[in-house]
Amino acid sequence: MRTTLIALAALLASSSALADTLVTNANGIQVGANGKLEHFTGILIGDDGKVKRLLHGEMLKLSNTDIDDAGGKTMLPGLIDAHGHVMALGFTALQLDLTGTKSVAELRQRLKDFAAANPDARWILGRGWNQELWTEKRFPTAADLDAVVSDRPVWLGRVDGHAAVANSAAMQAAGYSLNTQAPSGGRIENGLFVDAAMSLIEAKIPAPTVAEQDAALGKAQELMLSNGLTAAADMGTGPDEWAAMNRAGQAGSLNVRILSYAGGIPGMKAINGGKPSDWLYGDRLHLGGVKLYADGALGSRGAWLKAPYHDMPDTRGLQFLTDTQMLEQANAAASGGYQLAIHAIGDAANAQVISTFEKLSRTYGNDRRWRIEHFQIADPADIPRLKPAGIIASMQPTHQTSDRLMAEKRLGPDRLTGAYAWQTVEKLGVPIAFGSDFPVESPNPFPGLAAAVSRQDINGQPPGGWRPEERVSFQQALGGFTRGAAYAGFAESRIGGLEAGKWADFIIVDRDVSKVDPQVLGRTQVLETWVGGKKVWEKR
Ligand SMILES: [Zn+2]
């Protein structure tokens, strides 16, 4: 009898703890199932964390329901970044940030403070300095760093990633002596390692410990949630990263949803026993795809172009794989049931990937949702090939605003028609997924939404927008960061819109994003972030 009473009491306690939640008095905005902008006033969330009902002004008489008044604030579905690097976001954020330093003295002060605040860091890693902005206008040296930290290695990268300065302890750890020859394509002077020489030190940086990985994932989650992202596709997950994500899932500390794409065929074989995973931890982790690379990036002239670079006519960039190699690797992934996401920046790389997917579609049918990551520079003649081959364009609006001047230099004025061609792609009925490529760009999706609708950066540059014919509408932009990103991850039955049966992932923001100018939209602040019907982040 006594045990029965206790059991009954426990049941009652848990049933009140598992009450439904009504979020009411909201200015709800989402892209509806019909692709049009839909307004709503609240949602009723079941005790399973899923949407029970979307409200359009009606009053509900409910018992056993927690009421949360949104105070008339704007509510959106949780935003989804269709292309990011989750662990790298966390690791980068935990490193010493040297952007904006104005002198060697300021670099030294920040290094000193960081070393004091991180006594357990075995190596001190940092990045972001630019000697052009310093009063001294000279490169930093090992001696500059030794004066502040000499007890452990220090390695600080320049803003462009093409040089880094080591202290003496780092050079010692790497076995460097004055007799060490810089490898070809590299240079070493007074502790400054340039280009190919950087690998001498980088090869010796210890792999992150389990504790460091867990800290990085925690930091990445905090950054995602505070920026309104409730989910992201992780492009190129490695075995250690997959393990960290699973540890968080098992510990109940995974508060974002990660759609994982294994890093290449080796990553695919090393993760999850070489098979796609189930949807784990209440749909918070899923390995569904493999990420491959067709070429490099435009800035470093690694993007593979059909014609020579305008600003370096002796090169067309880098082709990473032959047609046969790409098809072999793609087949290895597709035959194992994986989705494919292939990085392609240059027009030659994009044409190669499209041809590969055309072949795969003949073998595997047309709902395998082949993804091209970036799809930055395309030959206008190739763009109409996307839709028939069942290809999704996974694009990053802030790459356009960051890259436009560089892209003009690399390609010249006559080859920009198929560059960052969002509206052209959209008009052809090709599914679009939007993302940021964090930490290459900020994980904040609002500057991305603003760039998508304006082709302008957060400061409104250039006036009128860059190639404004490729702007998309607000509903198309929001769709790219919600439904489109969910569809691109085979997750549209679970997330991407607030409808009965899908997870109650949503955010409350400080302004009506459907009514403001692009630059105001880009500065939207997130107030609350909810995942699976629970508030997991709140602005303090
Ligand atoms: Zn990326």
Side-chain angles (χ1 to χ4, degrees), residues 178-214:
L178 289 174
N179 303 322
T180 304
Q181 286 281 315
S184 72
R187 187 158 57 86
I188 307 169
E189 51 191 52
N190 300 323
L192 184 80
F193 291 68
V194 182
D195 283 326
M198 293 170 68
S199 62
L200 292 176
I201 305 282
E202 279 168 354
K204 295 296 191 291
I205 299 172
T209 62
V210 163
E212 286 165 348
Q213 289 168 22
D214 292 349

Side-chain angles (χ1 to χ4, degrees), residues 51-396:
V51 179
K52 261 189 165 169
R53 183 168 166 186
L54 196 64
L55 305 177
H56 297 87
E58 65 272 40
M59 291 300 193
L60 298 182
K61 281 210 173 63
L62 299 161
S63 57
N64 193 29
T65 299
D66 298 331
I67 312 268
D68 189 284
D69 189 321
K73 294 249 164 39
T74 295
M75 177 195 273
L76 303 170
L79 300 178
I80 306 170
D81 193 311
H83 182 126
H85 304 275
V86 173
M87 296 296 287
L89 177 66
F91 280 120
T92 305
L94 290 173
Q95 286 182 5
L96 168 57
D97 180 9
L98 296 166
T99 50
T101 46
K102 293 186 183 65
S103 63
V104 174
E106 193 180 348
L107 173 143
R108 280 202 294 232
Q109 186 60 48
R110 285 202 206 173
L111 173 59
K112 189 176 174 186
D113 295 345
F114 187 87
N118 295 274
D120 298 332
R122 294 166 297 162
W123 279 57
I124 292 176
L125 304 174
R127 60 163 297 125
W129 57 266
N130 181 355
Q131 85 290 349
E132 297 290 331
L133 306 178
W134 289 349
T135 43
E136 298 90 343
K137 303 266 186 239
R138 68 162 173 86
F139 283 111
T141 65
D144 289 329
L145 310 188
D146 288 345
V148 186
V149 178
S150 57
D151 62 334
R152 49 197 156 139
V154 177
W155 179 241
L156 307 176
R158 193 177 185 276
V159 63
D160 63 357
H162 283 275
V165 60
N167 69 349
S168 295
M171 292 193 282
Q172 219 164 47
Y176 170 85
S177 77
L178 289 174
N179 303 322
T180 304
Q181 286 281 315
S184 72
R187 187 158 57 86
I188 307 169
E189 51 191 52
N190 300 323
L192 184 80
F193 291 68
V194 182
D195 283 326
M198 293 170 68
S199 62
L200 292 176
I201 305 282
E202 279 168 354
K204 295 296 191 291
I205 299 172
T209 62
V210 163
E212 286 165 348
Q213 289 168 22
D214 292 349
L217 181 53
K219 186 71 187 174
Q221 292 196 60
E222 180 195 321
L223 285 167
M224 285 177 62
L225 295 171
S226 61
N227 281 301
L229 295 175
T230 53
D234 187 52
M235 279 295 156
T237 313
D240 289 351
E241 298 181 328
W242 178 250
M245 293 164 188
N246 275 281
R247 278 196 301 278
Q250 279 152 14
S253 59
L254 194 57
N255 285 325
V256 299
R257 303 185 193 281
I258 301 175
L259 314 178
S260 166
Y261 291 75
I265 302 301
M268 175 186 104
K269 289 179 177 160
I271 294 178
N272 199 53
K275 289 198 171 57
S277 79
D278 294 333
W279 288 83
L280 305 166
Y281 317 115
D283 292 350
R284 283 162 198 235
L285 184 62
H286 178 238
L287 169 66
V290 174
K291 160 100 180 285
L292 301 176
Y293 282 86
D295 67 346
L298 198 60
S300 52
R301 299 189 188 82
W304 178 30
L305 301 179
K306 290 188 175 187
Y309 276 83
H310 180 70
D311 58 355
M312 197 179 273
D314 63 348
T315 181
R316 294 202 293 127
L318 302 171
Q319 175 180 1
F320 281 14
L321 302 169
T322 65
D323 293 354
T324 311
Q325 286 169 331
M326 181 176 287
L327 192 60
E328 271 172 18
Q329 295 191 14
N331 258 318
S335 65
Y338 293 93
Q339 189 187 14
L340 270 154
I342 307 185
H343 163 119
I345 304 260
D347 52 4
N350 276 296
Q352 183 191 36
V353 177
I354 294 168
S355 297
T356 303
F357 286 155
E358 284 170 344
K359 292 192 184 94
L360 291 190
S361 282
R362 288 199 278 277
T363 308
Y364 300 99
N366 61 6
D367 194 27
R368 295 298 293 272
R369 304 189 194 177
W370 319 116
R371 300 172 53 138
I372 298 185
E373 298 307 314
H374 308 307
F375 198 65
Q376 264 176 28
I377 313 296
D379 182 336
D382 289 326
I383 303 179
R385 297 166 64 196
L386 294 180
K387 172 84 177 164
I391 297 171
I392 294 168
S394 167
M395 302 193 280
Q396 298 76 34

